[in-house]
Amino acid sequence: MHPALQGLLTILIGVGGCVGYFYFSNQLLDKVLFPAKGPNIGRNINRANMIRPWLFLAPAIAALGLYLAYPVVATFWLSVTDRDQGGAFVGLTNYSQMLAEPKFIEALRNNMLWLIIVPAASTAFGLLAAQLTDRIKWGAIAKSLIFMPMAISFVGAGVIWKLVYETRPVDVEQIGVLNAVYLALGGTEPQTWLTIPLWNSIFLMIVLIWIQTGFAMVILSAALRGIPEETIEAAIVDGANPFQIFFKIKVPQIVGTIIVVWTTITIVVLKVFDIVFAMTNGQWETQVLANYMYDKMFRAGDWGVGSAAAMIIMLLVTPILVWNVYNARKEMR
Amino acid sequence: MDNIAGSKSSLTWVVHISVVLLVALWLFPTVGLLVSSFRTADQIATGGWWKAMLPAEQNQTFRATDPDDEGAQSRDGDLYVIEGNVFEGAAVGEISVWGTSSREISAYQAGETADLGDGEMLTVQANGDYRLTSPTEMSGRGQRIFTTAVTPPDFTTQNYKDVLFTEGSGGGMAKAFFNTLTVTIPATIIPILIAAFAAYALAWMDFPGRALLIAAVVALLVVPLQLALIPLLRFHNEIGIGKGYVGVWLAHTGFGLPLAIYLLRNYMVGLPRDIIENARVDGASDFQIFVKIILPLSFPALASFAIFQFLWTWNDLLVALVFLIDSSGETTVMTKQIVELLGTRGGNWEILATAAFISIAVPLAVFFMMQKYLVRGLLAGSVK
């Protein structure tokens, strides 16, 4: 069968199944189990209304439990067992084995660099772009162009930037912008940018910064607009210059939003996989945790160490998770 | 007062210029890829794409007609002559300099005559016409001619035909395109349906454990899907769906649900209480309220999430690698295809650029058409 037809058919089955479930389970509840008629009408309606929320929630709870909650436990269990010994409990052996690996230490070090540089740079550029575009007429167009990389896949962005970093032999004309600029500015010979340790990690980070800046800009721009006019007017009357207004009046009022942007990008960074996978695959000392984990799990087939690496990512996410839950609960009260 | 006004207008100029620079910087890499996808391999290899709009200087090598060919040599007085045009009607350009050996490709100006020894003379004109004369009959292979020509800007759509429809030459993107679409559409619609019902329950129905469930959704929002790979792959194998579309739809549904529920609940909570309570008083059931009132009113939130989920599933690589693509490669998606091309044809930029642009085009179109909803969703999901 043609894949398009097959796709269409499965869409119909999947969607039809969902709609059917909700419709018929409600019908069953209202018409068969607890019909709103007869001698027990009041009790029946109450019972039906007690059960209905769970009817609405059931598919979501099942999917969330199975696809997100259960794997956390299962991965933890995998990380303390050994696949080769038939899943026997081995305690922290996988972790100690992993810590002894130079590649893991490299991944951890690179991840720390990513965690510092990418959120900081994206937020800074986003704030700059938000502040600048809010002041001009064609700001909306400028914004949507800076926001555009958001729609591009990490893999697509990898290809786009690989062309920027492309290297040709010394006697041939350079087709990568970076080398062309480098030579025009007096560089002696073209560099293979992605093979220079530490710098290459930065070049990979630039790809993510390029993508995430738009996100930061959109959110921070909304926050900047939410600042009460009076505070700015008061500052102008007091003779503050534009920089003072920005850093001393505006930024302190949107600190909360800046933190939200920062943590959201931090989570993206922790999961970053595609960019490294597509551009260097962790060679030349560019390894990061998510790619290291993929290597271990699916190339080396070492589930124990791979799961241990995944648990490290989980551990790094946990503070943000707790903070988010705390804030959400505070807000609901 | 003049002073302040003056400094203000100069600052406005600084702002305008900074924004132009920023936008240019952000756009430049993508434009590079787009331009490259419309150039031939030769053009890409000989000059940066930023020169594509200008006439380019190109070095090419040609061979004059083989003297041993039937009727290649004609007589002109007592000379043997071979005549022709190096371009043979193809990529026409203006030759500036030329040469006869690879070491001296710019030995002669266009229109000059070169002495090749033994009385052989070669003249190459700017338009590519050449005339090779010799007092004796010539033999051996055709004379090589190295030219440096200025060719006008030239774009082609051939790359797209090759990449989409020609199997083998890095092609087969058409198949991957359909596979991606097959993954994306159900993986977008199913979580919306499930999440909408759950969000309604969490927003407007009263039951024990509601606050706890909401907290759980917020927590699951940040759980890295990396943790789910092995346990779920094992689970899929155990229940017999293995690697395939069903698995990838389920996985995307599971991973997309927290954001969907979170966004939709936040939106639904903000709907006016009166409407819902009036409907209840009028005897509408929760199911009716949901379908007839809540769903239509929640359209903006549904649209935002749909765009997120669409972009995410379309652009995804990891989930497809783990849950979908088996060793047969029949179900490969575009992102995987591009990674493969990066590995095997890392230097063939005409193929890479075109393949990448095919996969980028759809999300970009969606992005520009539905940007309003995307921004709204981002704000609802983050500014708290």
Side-chain angles (χ1 to χ4, degrees):
Chain A
M1 194 160 34
H2 194 274
L5 258 179
Q6 196 186 346
L8 202 68
L9 194 72
T10 35
I11 292 168
L12 287 178
I13 294 173
V15 173
C18 278
V19 173
Y21 161 79
F22 286 115
Y23 183 74
F24 288 111
S25 64
N26 267 283
Q27 288 290 315
L28 187 74
L29 192 68
D30 289 333
K31 300 275 149 65
V32 183
L33 289 182
F34 301 110
K37 58 184 181 221
N40 296 328
I41 175 163
R43 208 186 64 186
N44 273 358
I45 289 179
N46 281 342
R47 281 193 179 168
N49 282 343
M50 258 172 63
I51 293 174
R52 200 180 328 272
W54 300 104
L55 222 53
F56 278 31
L57 283 165
I61 291 178
L64 286 178
L66 184 60
Y67 279 84
L68 285 167
Y70 154 74
V72 176
V73 181
T75 300
F76 174 72
W77 180 245
L78 281 174
S79 79
V80 293
T81 55
D82 190 347
R83 188 189 186 185
D84 293 334
Q85 298 172 30
F89 180 78
V90 293
L92 295 178
T93 315
N94 289 322
Y95 289 87
S96 60
Q97 189 189 333
M98 181 173 74
L99 283 169
E101 260 186 64
K103 225 28 190 166
F104 172 75
I105 302 299
E106 176 196 316
L108 205 60
R109 182 204 68 194
N110 282 338
N111 248 68
M112 288 304 151
L113 279 180
W114 279 77
L115 279 178
I116 296 165
I117 296 174
V118 175
S122 307
T123 313
F125 277 120
L127 194 56
L128 181 74
Q131 168 67 14
L132 292 178
T133 51
D134 272 350
R135 296 164 137 240
I136 54 179
K137 268 189 197 150
W138 54 286
I141 300 167
K143 256 189 208 144
S144 93
L145 291 176
I146 294 176
F147 192 31
M148 182 193 70
M150 226 8 219
I152 295 175
S153 61
F154 287 155
V155 174
V159 176
I160 288 176
W161 283 89
K162 227 174 167 184
L163 181 59
V164 172
Y165 301 145
E166 176 76 357
T167 310
R168 291 275 150 151
V170 72
D171 49 344
V172 183
E173 194 170 343
Q174 294 301 316
I175 64 168
V177 180
L178 192 59
N179 265 318
V181 170
Y182 177 72
L183 292 182
L185 292 179
T188 44
E189 57 182 53
Q191 305 285 319
T192 45
W193 301 107
L194 291 177
T195 60
I196 313 168
L198 271 186
W199 281 103
N200 51 11
S201 287
I202 301 214
F203 288 123
L204 297 184
M205 289 177 210
I206 288 175
V207 180
L208 192 58
I209 294 170
W210 178 71
I211 294 174
Q212 293 294 326
T213 293
F215 161 77
M217 177 194 66
V218 165
I219 305 221
L220 292 171
S221 153
L224 282 175
R225 284 196 191 149
I227 294 176
E229 279 292 320
E230 304 87 67
T231 57
I232 296 161
E233 275 163 20
I236 292 173
V237 170
D238 287 349
N241 69 37
F243 291 97
Q244 285 173 324
I245 294 176
F246 181 66
F247 285 109
K248 298 207 167 140
I249 308 293
K250 288 185 173 174
V251 171
Q253 294 194 61
I254 57 166
V255 156
T257 314
I258 292 178
I259 293 174
V260 170
V261 169
W262 193 292
T263 51
T264 311
I265 298 176
T266 300
I267 291 167
V268 176
V269 171
L270 277 171
K271 300 183 200 168
V272 68
F273 161 76
D274 314 35
I275 293 177
V276 177
F277 183 78
M279 289 182 79
T280 63
N281 201 5
Q283 296 176 82
W284 309 297
E285 299 181 28
T286 53
Q287 191 65 293
V288 293
L289 281 177
N291 195 49
Y292 172 85
M293 185 218 74
Y294 184 85
D295 257 355
K296 282 289 166 197
M297 277 187 182
F298 297 102
R299 294 225 181 85
D302 190 341
W303 291 1
V305 173
S307 300
M311 287 313 290
I312 299 287
I313 301 178
M314 183 69 210
L315 203 69
L316 291 170
V317 171
T318 307
I320 299 175
L321 185 152
V322 172
W323 191 74
N324 277 359
V325 171
Y326 169 78
N327 274 341
R329 296 201 60 119
K330 197 170 68 181
E331 204 176 292
M332 264 164 44
R333 266 182 225 127
Chain B
M1 212 54 196
D2 277 355
N3 216 351
I4 294 171
S7 75
K8 206 171 178 188
S9 83
S10 77
L11 198 66
T12 316
W13 275 108
V14 174
V15 169
H16 276 282
I17 292 166
S18 319
V19 176
V20 169
L21 283 177
L22 207 58
V23 169
L25 200 62
W26 249 252
L27 216 52
F28 198 69
T30 319
V31 173
L33 194 78
L34 178 63
V35 172
S36 296
S37 74
F38 288 106
R39 303 177 81 204
T40 64
D42 273 352
Q43 288 171 327
I44 294 176
T46 50
W49 62 266
W50 53 93
K51 294 178 186 157
M53 310 295 170
L54 308 167
E57 211 176 58
Q58 228 178 348
N59 296 321
Q60 283 166 297
T61 309
F62 300 99
R63 236 173 227 291
T65 314
D66 201 320
D68 299 335
D69 281 356
E70 190 75 28
Q73 304 187 38
S74 59
R75 298 294 299 264
D76 180 11
D78 50 357
L79 291 175
Y80 289 86
V81 178
I82 299 177
E83 280 180 317
N85 185 301
V86 291
F87 297 127
E88 286 174 350
V92 185
E94 182 112 344
I95 294 172
S96 53
V97 289
W98 58 279
T100 53
S101 94
S102 58
R103 271 165 299 163
E104 287 184 274
I105 60 168
S106 54
Y108 308 101
Q109 298 289 319
E112 277 185 353
T113 303
D115 187 348
L116 305 178
D118 296 336
E120 283 187 29
M121 307 293 246
L122 174 64
T123 312
V124 178
Q125 304 294 343
N127 64 3
D129 284 342
Y130 64 88
R131 179 181 162 93
L132 182 62
T133 62
S134 169
T136 55
E137 189 165 4
M138 288 171 277
S139 62
R141 303 186 62 190
Q143 173 65 39
R144 283 197 296 172
I145 304 172
F146 298 87
T147 63
T148 301
V150 175
T151 47
D154 182 25
F155 296 102
T156 171
T157 53
Q158 187 59 39
N159 294 336
Y160 284 88
K161 285 179 201 142
D162 286 349
V163 168
L164 278 172
F165 304 116
T166 318
E167 289 283 341
S169 76
M173 275 302 269
K175 191 177 78 184
F177 186 93
F178 277 114
N179 290 347
T180 303
L181 209 60
T182 313
V183 171
T184 307
I185 293 177
T188 305
I189 297 174
I190 297 173
I192 291 182
L193 275 170
I194 296 179
F197 278 95
Y200 174 70
L202 290 175
W204 287 106
M205 290 163 119
D206 218 6
F207 59 92
R210 189 170 80 155
L212 205 65
L213 271 177
I214 296 172
V217 168
V218 174
L220 292 176
L221 213 45
V222 297
V223 168
L225 67 89
Q226 266 90 357
L227 272 81
L229 304 180
I230 292 284
L232 288 181
L233 192 58
R234 283 211 303 194
F235 169 72
H236 281 177
N237 284 331
E238 269 161 32
I239 62 170
I241 53 179
K243 282 188 162 197
Y245 285 118
V246 179
V248 85
W249 292 329
L250 288 175
H252 274 310
T253 301
F255 301 148
L257 267 182
L259 182 68
I261 298 176
Y262 181 70
L263 275 182
L264 293 176
R265 192 204 86 95
N266 277 356
Y267 189 87
M268 287 177 187
V269 155
L271 294 175
R273 179 172 286 272
D274 299 352
I275 303 182
I276 292 154
E277 277 176 0
N278 285 344
R280 280 221 176 103
V281 170
D282 290 345
S285 72
D286 272 311
F287 189 77
Q288 285 168 324
I289 293 175
F290 175 75
V291 173
K292 298 214 171 113
I293 299 174
I294 300 283
L295 269 192
L297 284 180
S298 304
F299 177 76
L302 294 171
S304 325
F305 174 74
I307 297 166
F308 275 121
Q309 182 75 356
F310 174 81
L311 291 179
W312 153 244
T313 49
W314 186 279
N315 290 338
D316 159 77
L317 171 67
L318 185 56
V319 177
L321 274 182
V322 176
F323 294 107
L324 175 65
I325 300 165
D326 51 23
S327 50
S328 76
E330 274 302 304
T331 49
T332 186
V333 293
M334 283 194 290
T335 43
K336 163 72 175 160
Q337 193 81 358
I338 292 168
V339 170
E340 210 131 275
L341 288 176
L342 270 173
T344 56
R345 291 162 163 269
N348 295 28
W349 278 105
E350 75 286 358
I351 291 176
L352 265 177
T354 312
F357 217 83
I358 291 169
S359 100
I360 292 171
V362 174
L364 279 188
V366 170
F367 171 82
F368 281 114
M369 282 187 302
M370 316 274 279
Q371 206 184 124
K372 189 176 76 182
Y373 293 109
L374 188 67
V375 170
R376 208 181 283 181
L378 269 185
L379 294 177
S382 307
V383 179
K384 286 285 116 195

